[in-house]
Amino acid sequence: DNKIEFRPFRIGVKIANKRWWILPIHILSRHFVKKKINKDYIMATSSSVWFSTRTSLMLVCSSLFIVESSCFQFQGQGLRISSRSLRRKRSSVSAEFPSHSFSSLCVSSADDAGTTTDDSSVGGGVLDLVFGFVKTKVAYQFSKLCAADVLLLTDGGSAEAFAAATELDPDMCLRFLRAAVAVGLVTEDKSKLFTPTLLGRSIGSIDAPGRGVVLLEASPEYGMAWDSFDEVLKTGAIGWQLAHGVPRIYDSIDSSGNLPEFRDTFYGGLRSWGGMEEDEILLGSSGIVRGLLTGLTPGAVVVDVGGGEGSFAGKMLAVRPDISVVLQEQAVTCDAARSNPALASYNEDRLRVVERSFFDGIEETDGRLYVLKYILHNWGDEDCVRILRNVRAALEEASSKNNYASRSNDNARILIIEHGPIESSPEIRLLDLHMAVLCGKGASERTTEEYSKLVEASGLTMHRVHPSKGGVYGIECGLPA
């Protein structure tokens, strides 16, 4: 009764002088299925199968090894196998793999009886996993050194010139730049000259949009929080607190905090995140926020709840020169907003900075649009409901006033902007864990349904979900009808 549905595609890849074909299949039974196709055997589980039209074959597919016509199901932590079909003149080929690496390895024998697979592919996804931290370290130093700028300004982009300009060890600079080639940050020509790629320039130039993100997310301070991941995973503790002694990042960077020098890195990272997402995704011609801003009447007030150091507020003011923005933040962040050069040209009629925690309420009650950008993912469900109820109270107070402008506030909106939804991409799932390590297990990227429940629990009504674009989406809500 085992059934298999074949949907053949003429898709092939040549690896080690051997043609491999990809066959997508759908298994209608949980049992293993064995079929004979043109004298070549395959065995499959519920995933795609790689098979070869030649004779010597070794393949990993889910939890099965396939060695020509001999198939072995794995048991325990690992399995040692050998096959006559893979024997060479001097010795047989054997392999022993831990169980977690099976799905990431695919090995084929070469046509030449005296050769095996290209060694550069051995380990496949396993090496990518374990050396991921090396890529992060390379990217961090590339950004820290403004390596793209240095290479473009040095003589020909040689490792020697790079070492001289940065006062670093010449041999290590050569190795560093070659590792940067592997990461995709630079290219190397036959003369050993290095040129930054587009990706390299996006993080390795002093004003590059991605540089601040790398300096923040790969910072030693964040790394120390992740060094406590064993304890976080075991107890649910906050990684930042285990590493730095205080529960929140803001506690570390305020005037009395233990990491005041980290303040510039932190806010620089937030600006960099915004630069990658705000200009196009949120404020571009089809951006979520631009559409709502366009619909506001002249003189309308936008409240940026927890708006950080004000970069997004400044961009909203640039989109609509005839509106004003109220930025509400805690004291340490208000100091950063007041010193933000991008806001220097706005007087208090256009931009007002209010020192108040959103847990203590929303001061501005005449807003037409209340924006919560990357706020709720920092907090657990109870805190999120508390924040949303405070915003709802501001809307209700406005609608109860006895003037026309306030009565029209019945149609005011709250816009929740977050990364995700969590099911939208693998990167959002990783970000979800990152948030938990830094801010506690209550902090999370959520599904649309989970945000909908928070909105409902706050006494608000969902009006619209703006689809995810570039990993960012919006939820528009307001007072019940």
Side-chain angles (χ1 to χ4, degrees):
D1 294 329
N2 294 327
K3 297 180 180 179
I4 184 168
E5 177 185 344
F6 292 96
R7 299 191 183 116
F9 287 74
R10 297 185 64 82
I11 301 174
V13 180
K14 195 170 184 179
I15 303 175
N17 296 319
K18 188 177 184 65
R19 177 63 64 180
W20 292 81
W21 296 93
I22 306 173
L23 179 64
I25 63 172
H26 176 64
I27 300 299
L28 303 180
S29 170
R30 294 179 62 88
H31 299 289
F32 300 130
V33 180
K34 186 173 181 180
K35 291 286 184 179
K36 188 172 183 179
I37 304 176
N38 296 329
K39 298 182 180 180
D40 287 326
Y41 283 92
I42 68 167
M43 182 170 278
T45 59
S46 57
S47 59
S48 295
V49 170
W50 291 68
F51 71 96
S52 172
T53 56
R54 303 290 179 89
T55 55
S56 299
L57 168 64
M58 182 176 173
L59 168 70
V60 176
C61 174
S62 185
S63 60
L64 292 178
F65 253 124
I66 306 175
V67 184
E68 211 170 274
S69 60
S70 301
C71 302
F72 303 87
Q73 184 177 356
F74 292 166
Q75 296 179 351
Q77 294 299 311
L79 177 69
R80 180 178 294 275
I81 67 165
S82 62
S83 173
R84 295 178 183 177
S85 61
L86 296 178
R87 283 182 180 173
R88 299 298 178 233
K89 293 180 180 180
R90 295 183 180 179
S91 63
S92 64
V93 178
S94 64
E96 183 173 0
F97 301 98
S99 58
H100 58 74
S101 67
F102 295 153
S103 61
S104 53
L105 298 175
C106 181
V107 186
S108 167
S109 62
D111 287 345
D112 181 7
T115 40
T116 56
T117 21
D118 180 0
D119 286 341
S120 65
S121 68
V122 173
V126 175
L127 294 186
D128 189 58
L129 287 174
V130 298
F131 285 116
F133 80 97
V134 179
K135 295 180 181 180
T136 302
K137 294 294 185 182
V138 169
Y140 177 76
Q141 289 297 327
F142 199 88
S143 295
K144 183 178 179 181
L145 295 168
C146 293
D149 289 343
V150 174
L151 287 171
L152 292 171
L153 294 173
T154 53
D155 183 24
S158 68
E160 294 80 3
F162 183 86
T166 56
E167 299 182 348
L168 300 174
D169 181 83
D171 178 64
M172 290 306 300
C173 280
L174 177 61
R175 295 183 182 193
F176 166 69
L177 290 173
R178 284 179 170 168
V181 173
V183 179
L185 301 177
V186 297
T187 59
E188 180 183 10
D189 63 19
K190 294 180 180 179
S191 302
K192 297 183 180 179
L193 298 179
F194 298 88
T195 304
T197 63
L198 182 62
L199 176 61
R201 292 195 297 274
S202 75
I203 71 167
S205 294
I206 191 164
D207 294 322
R211 181 168 179 260
V213 172
V214 175
L215 293 179
L216 174 62
E217 303 300 341
S219 65
E221 290 81 4
Y222 275 18
M224 290 173 64
W226 270 96
D227 287 342
S228 303
F229 185 51
D230 283 355
E231 184 66 18
V232 172
L233 199 59
K234 181 179 179 180
T235 65
I238 303 173
W240 184 268
Q241 185 170 19
L242 293 173
H244 302 293
V246 291
R248 300 177 65 245
I249 296 172
Y250 290 100
D251 296 330
S252 292
I253 63 175
D254 67 17
S255 57
S256 60
N258 56 350
L259 291 175
E261 71 281 358
F262 185 60
R263 186 182 307 158
D264 289 343
T265 300
F266 181 72
Y267 288 121
L270 297 186
R271 284 193 297 271
S272 188
W273 269 110
M276 293 195 306
E277 298 167 342
E278 291 165 357
D279 295 341
E280 178 58 31
I281 299 172
L282 297 178
L283 294 172
S285 58
S286 60
I288 298 170
V289 180
R290 178 178 283 272
L292 292 174
L293 291 177
T294 303
L296 296 177
T297 57
V301 177
V302 175
V303 183
D304 196 356
V305 180
E309 37 68 65
S311 292
F312 189 57
K315 292 176 181 179
M316 288 192 290
L317 289 170
V319 170
R320 281 294 304 268
D322 57 347
I323 66 171
S324 62
V325 172
V326 175
L327 171 63
Q328 179 171 325
E329 259 290 4
Q330 55 190 325
V332 62
T333 312
C334 286
D335 291 340
R338 294 188 183 100
S339 61
N340 186 347
L343 305 180
S345 63
Y346 297 111
N347 58 36
E348 193 166 320
D349 291 337
R350 296 290 318 281
L351 176 64
R352 184 159 60 93
V353 178
V354 174
E355 290 186 13
R356 189 177 186 181
S357 168
F358 41 59
F359 287 117
D360 296 331
I362 306 301
E363 181 164 316
E364 178 59 51
T365 59
D366 282 326
R368 300 291 295 152
L369 177 64
Y370 291 78
V371 179
L372 288 85
K373 177 173 167 283
Y374 306 149
I375 300 299
L376 300 186
H377 76 157
N378 291 297
W379 304 96
D381 289 353
E382 291 184 3
D383 285 328
C384 288
V385 170
R386 183 180 169 192
I387 295 168
L388 289 173
R389 283 177 176 169
N390 284 341
V391 181
R392 186 198 72 190
L395 266 65
E396 290 175 337
E397 183 176 341
S399 65
S400 67
K401 293 179 181 177
N402 295 318
N403 59 68
Y404 175 81
S406 295
R407 287 200 304 272
S408 67
N409 217 42
D410 288 339
N411 295 322
R413 290 287 186 262
I414 301 169
L415 180 64
I416 301 167
I417 301 171
E418 292 291 351
H419 291 107
I422 190 172
E423 67 271 18
S424 63
S425 74
E427 290 77 16
I428 304 300
R429 295 177 186 272
L430 295 176
L431 180 60
D432 176 62
L433 181 60
H434 188 49
M435 292 299 300
V437 171
L438 293 176
C439 303
K441 61 183 181 181
S444 64
E445 310 301 334
R446 295 174 171 90
T447 66
T448 305
E449 181 181 0
E450 287 169 338
Y451 276 117
S452 177
K453 290 179 179 179
L454 294 179
V455 169
E456 182 180 351
S458 305
L460 296 164
T461 298
M462 292 270 289
H463 289 288
R464 183 181 177 187
V465 176
H466 298 267
S468 179
K469 181 180 179 183
V472 179
Y473 79 127
I475 297 173
E476 192 179 333
C477 53
L479 294 176

